[in-house]
């Protein structure tokens, strides 16, 4: 499965995911695990552990995959980073 996606851009993978390619979604999630871990180390949510913060980042990534629009002239990695950070910040504000 992975070899099919290795030479594709994140932008292409996000669009394939939006069209229902679940393997593309899983591939993107695996590719962004390092980003998710990095964000979890940078943020603190009162009453939450790092797994909770990672879960919020994952929610942000899934939202990014579903809403990515290449016509907005932002690369997927940039857009996903913003979505993940915003999701964590929203969770922190409501905690």
């Amino acid at each position: 499965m992975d070899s099919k996606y290795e030479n594709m851009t994140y932008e292409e993978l996000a669009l394939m995911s939006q069209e229902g390619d679940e393997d593309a979604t899983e591939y993107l999630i695996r590719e962004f695990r390092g980003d998710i871990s990095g964000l979890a180390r940078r943020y603190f949510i009162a009453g939450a552990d790092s797994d909770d913060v990672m879960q919020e980042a994952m929610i942000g990534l899934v939202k990014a995959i579903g809403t990515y629009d290449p016509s907005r002239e932002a690369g997927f990695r940039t857009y996903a980073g913003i979505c993940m950070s915003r999701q964590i910040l929203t969770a922190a504000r409501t905690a």
Side-chain angles (χ1 to χ4, degrees):
M1 171 186 73
D2 287 353
S3 62
K4 174 182 175 182
Y5 302 108
E6 282 178 358
N7 296 320
M8 300 183 105
T9 66
Y10 292 142
E11 292 78 11
E12 291 169 327
L13 290 165
L15 295 175
M16 289 172 65
S17 179
Q18 289 174 6
E19 293 172 358
D21 187 332
E22 292 178 18
D23 290 336
T25 304
E26 289 178 28
Y27 186 84
L28 276 172
I29 290 170
R30 279 195 311 277
E31 285 290 303
F32 278 80
R33 285 187 195 260
D35 297 67
I36 290 167
S37 294
L39 282 171
R41 285 191 298 270
R42 284 190 284 181
Y43 289 97
F44 172 78
I45 298 176
D49 62 19
S50 65
D51 287 340
D52 295 329
V53 178
M54 287 180 69
Q55 186 66 32
E56 291 299 327
M58 183 73 71
I59 291 167
L61 175 59
V62 171
K63 287 181 179 180
I65 292 169
T67 60
Y68 177 69
D69 180 358
S71 70
R72 304 287 305 248
E73 298 184 12
F76 181 75
R77 181 177 285 283
T78 301
Y79 180 68
I82 291 168
C83 289
M84 291 186 291
S85 294
R86 284 184 180 165
Q87 184 69 34
I88 293 168
L89 293 171
T90 298
R93 278 193 292 270
T94 58

